Amino acid sequence: VNVGFRGVGSVNVIRPLPGGKYLVGGFFTHFGNAVAHNLARVNSDLTLDLAFGQVGGTGYTSAPTVTFTGGGGTGAAATAVINPSNGQVFNFTITSGGSGYTSPPTVTLTGGGGSGAVVTASISGGAVTGIGLSFVNTGPSGTVLCAELQGDGKILIGGFFTQYNGTTVNNIARLNSDLTLDTSFSAGSGPNNGVNSLALIPGGGVYIGGGFSTVAGVSHPGVARLNANGSIDSSFTTGSTSFSVNSLARQSDGKIVAGGSFANVSVNGVTRSNLVRFNTDGTVDTGFSNATGANSQVRAIQIQPDKQILIGGDFSRYNGTVVNNLARLNFSDGLLDGTFAIGTNLNSSVFNIVRQEDVKLLLFGFFSTNVAGAPSTRIVGRGTAGGAIDTSLSFGAGTNFSAFTQPSALQ
């Protein structure tokens, strides 16, 4: 299915929403011909939900007439396009840019049986070069890397952005169910660098992971815990040494597993490489025996129903044992689970691991051959197969570039 995101960038996260809709975040400018800035809500048929974002009006049964006035110029002309299924204006075609414009002209829509569409124009070189719907929600000003749906319907997003709907929010924000900014959640000046991963805490609060060293001006390298209102939970601290986190996973006992890019780093006084498990106060769980750990960065973590821990990334060894880019660890001690036999055919990075309801796993990444040396991205993750390839599903030649979403995106 081609859902039509375009613009230089990527789709980084997909989350199911109530009513069969999906939240899609990343770094993009359009969904098809409609402007969508880094965040979009998509209907169950994968059409853009125009109720979020653009002011397309209601009740249009035919294309309204487009008129340009003011701006110091003349001759601009355009036609409008409507969506008959919802009666909204959603696109425009400029048939003439006109000339002599020194400022953007006012755009008026008349006729078509509807009302309420709000339109603006842009100019360049004296001509009208752009025309589009105004926005109720301008969304995040930069890349969205992660998102999580809370039990109350509100949505946390993280990434590299400084504003949401024009309000300053640095790299972390919470949205209401209608995707407006929830101003009751504030992390102050926020993380001083991007947020790559979120892990919700039952009853309120969230762990954030990323490349930051401070949150709201307070030292919190790599991982921080925020209260339900966005303030820092000062009872959790990871020390003073900077390290970068790609992925977080919260265990049922409250401990948090963090994977990232940090070779032989002293985390709260304990040396760890690319993977660490924290106790609920931020101290390192030394019973999680991964002193040498992964020999390159960990990008994805998935905790299975039996509490065993799957990790994916760029590594070729874990605690000195060859495990190409994917491994399963014991919950009890962090050592390799020897029953998970995947061989060494997975030939490049794993960016995400998604567990399906049938306990099979979908892998997303940069690889061209999987655990069986075949061009597929689905494996059996439990049971007697213990990592064998699931040949019942084939993606053919797959995608022509790396595939990645944030953990749990497609569960």
Side-chain angles (χ1 to χ4, degrees), residues 136-161:
V136 174
N137 295 300
T138 55
S141 59
T143 304
V144 174
L145 293 174
C146 50
E148 293 294 341
L149 177 66
Q150 295 185 168
D152 60 2
K154 294 184 178 183
I155 302 164
L156 282 158
I157 61 170
F160 288 93
F161 49 84

Side-chain angles (χ1 to χ4, degrees), residues 344-347 367-379 389:
T344 58
N345 286 317
L346 197 62
N347 67 345
F367 47 85
S368 58
T369 61
N370 58 28
V371 296
S376 175
T377 55
R378 190 180 186 185
I379 66 169
I389 187 69

Side-chain angles (χ1 to χ4, degrees), residues 288-370:
F288 195 73
S289 302
N290 64 320
T292 57
N295 67 337
S296 190
Q297 68 176 315
V298 173
R299 295 179 180 269
I301 304 171
Q302 174 69 244
I303 297 178
Q304 298 187 281
D306 62 0
K307 299 184 180 180
Q308 298 293 78
I309 302 166
L310 283 157
I311 61 172
D314 302 351
F315 50 87
S316 59
R317 293 177 180 272
Y318 183 84
N319 280 356
T321 301
V322 174
V323 284
N324 282 354
N325 308 300
L326 183 69
R328 189 165 67 186
L329 313 179
N330 296 323
F331 166 83
S332 59
D333 56 15
L335 298 177
L336 280 175
D337 177 356
T339 67
F340 190 70
I342 65 167
T344 58
N345 286 317
L346 197 62
N347 67 345
S348 196
S349 303
V350 172
F351 293 159
N352 188 19
I353 307 166
V354 176
R355 179 179 57 83
Q356 299 184 150
E357 291 182 357
D358 62 1
V359 198
K360 292 180 180 179
L361 302 171
L362 287 169
L363 303 182
F364 297 81
F366 198 61
F367 47 85
S368 58
T369 61
N370 58 28

